[in-house]
Amino acid sequence: MHQDRPSVFAPLLLTLALASAACGSEPPAAPPAGDGGSPAPAVRIDDEPPGASCPEGGRAIHKGEDDDGDGVLDPGEIDATEYVCAERGGGDLPELLTTRAEEPPGEHCPHGGTAVRSGLDLDGDGALDAQEVSGTTYVCAGAPPEEPEEPEQTPERLVRIDEEPAGPNCVAGGAAVHAGLDDDGDGALGDDEIDHTDHVCGASLVGDHAVTDLDDLQALEGIRVITGTLTLAPELATVVSLPDLAYVGGSLDVEHAYVLERLELPALAHVGGDLSMLFVPALRSLSLPSLARVGGALGLSQVRQLAAVELPALTEVGARLEPRLDAVAIQADALAELAMPSLRRSGGGIHLRGAALERVAFPALMEVGRFELWDSLAVQALELPVLQEVRGDLIVWGIAAAEIALPRLLTVAGDLDVVDAQAAARLSLPELRGVGGTLVLARCAQLTDLELPRLASAPRFILRDQARLTSFSLPALATVKEQVGIWYNPSLTDFSLPALRQTEWLSLSGNPRLAGLGGLAQLESVSLLMTVEDNLALADLSGLAALSVLGGYLEISGNHAMTRVGLARLERAEVIDIGRVGISGNDRLEVVDMPALRRVDGLGISWNDRLTDLSLPSLARIPGGLNISMNPALPQCEAEALAAQLVAQPEHVYLGGNDDGGTCE
């Protein structure tokens, strides 16, 4: 077992300083990515065997330019070599260290990136000091994703109803209906914001009005304007028809009208507050052919027999509502079609449920606070052809459409969930650039075609339980800050996330036909957790060619075709667990090969029946625990040799259940 480095290596500081002074202490800056400049400088440090350059052996520090751009300094690319030699009778050679630091946008990386500094720990303090840096390379970020064009924002159009006295505009009086844009954004239509006034002459009611019986209903005959709220709760009427009513300044509430079957308001154009129908179980049809604007929410609930809704002129609903609030909430189990052909904007959310719904159509809708379609298993067509912006969640859960296509959707500020769309063979979102919450695609039994070519960012991406999906590509997805989860997809053989460089959590589980991880070739860092488990066809991890940093836990288990765990560039991890104790190992695993791994806080390699070779030549520190056990083909001497190469004893060590009779070279 190596001990702490003796001070005999202190003179190496002077040796390296003199050598560095001759050719510069740091290579020149790498040219910006994609600028057509010269190749990036690179450094490679190798062990130097005893010989002419170092009689007692040492380190060879090669410098040059990465001419072929593969990130490795090949022998033909070496321009100069310096040597750090061991003293006769001295102790250990200094350890190779690397550090990473954020590189701001500038001459090295136009869009920012990471500066990777490397050198030998000459003073043995476990830290790479500035004078010990022998080379710096830059891992540059790509250009940021193209920002989607923001839909043009215009002031909200408001309506104000005032009483109109008898005079030239209305001989017998009436109402003045003012319209205009809310230029100052205060939610009220000021006199200086009025650009149009209609005079509705005839009878009007000032304030709120409630209808509880037939007499109240008859009193509304001929009324054109009600400035306050109208509440309809007639106990005896099966049909309510108010042919003259054009404007309601407050809300229109129809509640507990248990015998009402048909509501006809052919002239109603404007409701300033909510339009609500609650506990109207006999209602079969709702005809509002002239309704253009609802200032609050439109809600239909407990209307079990409602089979027809006419809203052909409705252009705006709930403009001032927050996305988390429902602007349209409809739950009607007898309704077969819901179409709002003129609706362009909904400030709040649209929340729909209907057991009989077959068609949901919003052909003019461009902006919505939230859109949710739940448990509507009969839906064959979801039509949102011009929708561009969802300011909250977009959830489609449990529909029967063969295709889900949103051809102009640019952004979803909240979650995007497509779940239990059992008949959907194709999901097409060709213009989607960003998702602000979790992107979940789950249990779409017929899905074979996933089209998200421009998606650049989502904090979390989950793809699970897709029975027929064999492959997918998200070519622009560069930013998944928190989680990538690909789980339980029985037909998936490959996938591609070529722009992804880092994430916090990567989980690949239960994909029995997944054959390789080449789709993660650019992934460099997983900062919290990485699990690779129960992928029965996965033979190795060679696709993770760029992975160098694991800030947390690595678990590899239950991959019964895996013969090799090879992570060529991995240098540091918190905990590595290959084959979990008592649960599931990797029963064909033969080789664990991590040549660059220098430190791991805890290492467990257990229950891997065919494991014969541990290749961890650079591993020097395991401060926590070391457990190499129950690997019946692994020579015990290999486990002991690994423990012996560490510079300090781990806090906990267990080496047992391996092949005591095996031999080591």
Side-chain angles (χ1 to χ4, degrees):
M1 182 74 66
H2 294 313
Q3 306 298 319
D4 291 338
R5 290 185 185 81
S7 60
V8 68
F9 282 99
L12 290 174
L13 288 169
L14 178 60
T15 304
L16 186 59
L18 292 173
S20 298
C23 57
S25 61
E26 189 167 319
D35 70 348
S38 59
V43 175
R44 195 180 83 202
I45 301 179
D46 295 334
D47 290 332
E48 179 68 19
S53 300
C54 288
E56 302 296 326
R59 308 278 196 208
I61 304 173
H62 307 295
K63 297 184 178 182
E65 293 182 339
D66 183 18
D67 296 321
D68 58 9
D70 64 353
V72 177
L73 187 65
D74 300 317
E77 297 170 334
I78 295 172
D79 296 326
T81 299
E82 304 164 9
Y83 297 93
V84 177
C85 299
E87 299 289 341
R88 184 180 299 277
D92 298 334
L93 282 166
E95 182 183 0
L96 171 63
L97 300 179
T98 62
T99 64
R100 282 169 169 73
E102 183 178 353
E103 180 69 16
E107 61 173 325
H108 298 148
C109 291
H111 306 292
T114 302
V116 183
R117 296 180 174 86
S118 59
L120 298 175
D121 184 18
L122 299 172
D123 58 8
D125 65 353
L128 185 65
D129 303 319
Q131 67 269 24
E132 295 172 334
V133 174
S134 58
T136 301
T137 57
Y138 297 93
V139 180
C140 296
E146 180 183 348
E147 290 292 331
E149 295 181 6
E150 292 289 338
E152 183 179 353
Q153 299 292 326
T154 59
E156 181 186 356
R157 187 166 186 81
L158 300 179
V159 173
R160 192 182 85 201
I161 302 176
D162 295 336
E163 185 178 2
E164 180 69 16
N169 295 320
C170 289
V171 174
V177 182
H178 308 294
L181 298 178
D182 184 17
D183 295 320
D184 59 9
D186 66 351
L189 186 66
D191 290 343
D192 59 346
E193 294 173 327
I194 295 172
D195 56 36
H196 180 75
T197 297
D198 287 328
H199 292 93
V200 182
C201 300
S204 63
L205 290 176
V206 177
D208 300 338
H209 191 77
V211 175
T212 59
D213 55 34
L214 293 179
D215 290 338
D216 293 334
L217 187 60
Q218 290 174 357
L220 293 180
E221 291 182 4
I223 297 297
R224 301 203 65 195
V225 175
I226 297 175
T227 62
T229 291
L230 173 62
T231 301
L232 296 175
E235 294 183 357
L236 301 176
T238 58
V239 177
V240 170
S241 179
L242 298 172
D244 299 311
L245 185 63
Y247 291 89
V248 176
S251 296
L252 172 57
D253 298 328
V254 184
E255 299 178 353
H256 301 283
Y258 294 108
V259 299
L260 181 64
E261 296 180 4
R262 190 167 75 251
L263 178 62
E264 297 176 353
L265 302 169
L268 184 64
H270 171 89
V271 176
D274 298 336
L275 195 164
S276 172
M277 299 195 182
L278 178 65
F279 291 109
V280 192
L283 186 68
R284 297 179 182 275
S285 66
L286 174 64
S287 179
L288 301 169
S290 301
L291 184 64
R293 183 178 186 273
V294 176
L298 169 62
L300 306 177
S301 183
Q302 301 296 321
V303 286
R304 291 189 295 270
Q305 297 189 54
L306 184 64
V309 175
E310 286 185 65
L311 296 165
L314 186 62
T315 61
E316 187 176 283
V317 61
R320 301 193 66 82
L321 292 177
E322 298 179 11
R324 63 184 179 84
L325 301 175
D326 286 335
V328 177
I330 299 176
Q331 183 173 354
D333 288 341
L335 191 64
E337 177 176 294
L338 179 63
M340 297 187 186
S342 301
L343 184 63
R344 297 192 300 267
R345 181 171 182 261
S346 173
I350 295 178
H351 186 119
L352 309 174
R353 289 177 189 262
L357 269 178
E358 296 181 0
R359 178 173 180 253
V360 175
F362 293 83
L365 186 65
M366 299 181 64
E367 177 187 348
V368 64
R370 191 182 73 255
F371 189 93
E372 299 184 12
L373 176 59
W374 291 87
D375 300 326
S376 301
L377 299 178
V379 170
Q380 301 289 329
L382 174 61
E383 301 172 22
L384 296 163
V386 298
L387 181 63
Q388 295 184 23
E389 180 184 13
V390 180
R391 294 184 290 114
D393 298 337
L394 172 58
I395 296 176
V396 178
W397 195 302
I399 70 172
E403 178 182 70
I404 298 173
L406 303 172
R408 296 191 185 180
L409 183 63
L410 297 175
T411 60
V412 176
D415 295 341
L416 171 55
D417 294 357
V418 179
V419 179
D420 286 332
Q422 295 293 334
R426 181 169 181 257
L427 174 61
S428 177
L429 305 171
E431 298 298 326
L432 183 65
R433 316 295 176 82
V435 175
T438 303
L439 171 57
V440 178
L441 307 176
R443 299 193 300 272
C444 301
Q446 302 301 316
L447 186 66
T448 58
D449 186 3
L450 179 59
E451 184 184 3
L452 290 160
R454 306 188 75 174
L455 180 65
S457 64
R460 295 166 295 279
F461 169 65
I462 305 296
L463 180 91
R464 64 172 301 166
D465 298 296
Q466 304 292 352
R468 298 188 62 189
L469 187 67
T470 60
S471 66
F472 70 90
S473 177
L474 303 178
L477 188 59
T479 304
V480 185
K481 184 178 184 298
E482 297 180 24
Q483 181 183 11
V484 175
I486 301 175
W487 308 328
Y488 313 118
N489 302 289
S491 300
L492 188 67
T493 60
D494 65 88
F495 64 89
S496 179
L497 303 174
L500 186 65
R501 292 180 176 270
Q502 59 187 13
T503 189
E504 292 180 355
W505 180 8
L506 173 65
S507 178
L508 308 172
S509 300
N511 305 290
R513 297 187 181 182
L514 183 62
L517 302 181
L520 294 169
Q522 301 301 316
L523 183 66
E524 298 171 352
S525 171
V526 179
S527 59
L528 292 180
L529 174 65
M530 176 175 167
T531 59
V532 182
E533 42 184 4
D534 301 324
N535 303 290
L536 304 183
L538 189 62
D540 58 49
L541 304 181
S542 60
L544 298 170
L547 185 65
S548 59
V549 175
L550 281 167
Y553 187 83
L554 170 62
E555 178 183 317
I556 303 172
S557 64
N559 304 290
H560 298 305
M562 187 171 291
T563 60
R564 182 184 187 88
V565 172
L567 294 169
R569 295 192 181 183
L570 182 63
E571 298 177 0
R572 166 89 193 234
E574 292 295 317
V575 177
I576 296 177
D577 191 354
I578 302 176
R580 294 177 294 180
V581 174
I583 300 179
S584 180
N586 305 285
D587 51 17
R588 295 187 183 181
L589 182 64
E590 298 176 359
V591 178
V592 174
D593 182 17
M594 300 182 189
L597 184 65
R598 298 180 292 102
R599 172 174 175 145
V600 59
D601 290 350
L603 175 63
I605 303 175
S606 303
W607 298 96
N608 303 290
D609 292 345
R610 299 187 187 183
L611 181 65
T612 60
D613 186 12
L614 298 179
S615 180
L616 301 158
S618 302
L619 186 57
R621 289 181 171 84
I622 307 178
L626 173 62
N627 176 8
I628 303 178
S629 63
M630 301 308 183
N631 305 290
L634 179 70
Q636 176 71 8
C637 52
E638 281 217 22
E640 293 171 351
L642 177 60
Q645 79 184 41
L646 303 176
V647 299
Q649 181 80 3
E651 184 176 354
H652 304 285
V653 177
Y654 178 67
L655 310 175
N658 305 306
D659 182 8
D660 291 329
T663 60
C664 299
E665 296 180 1

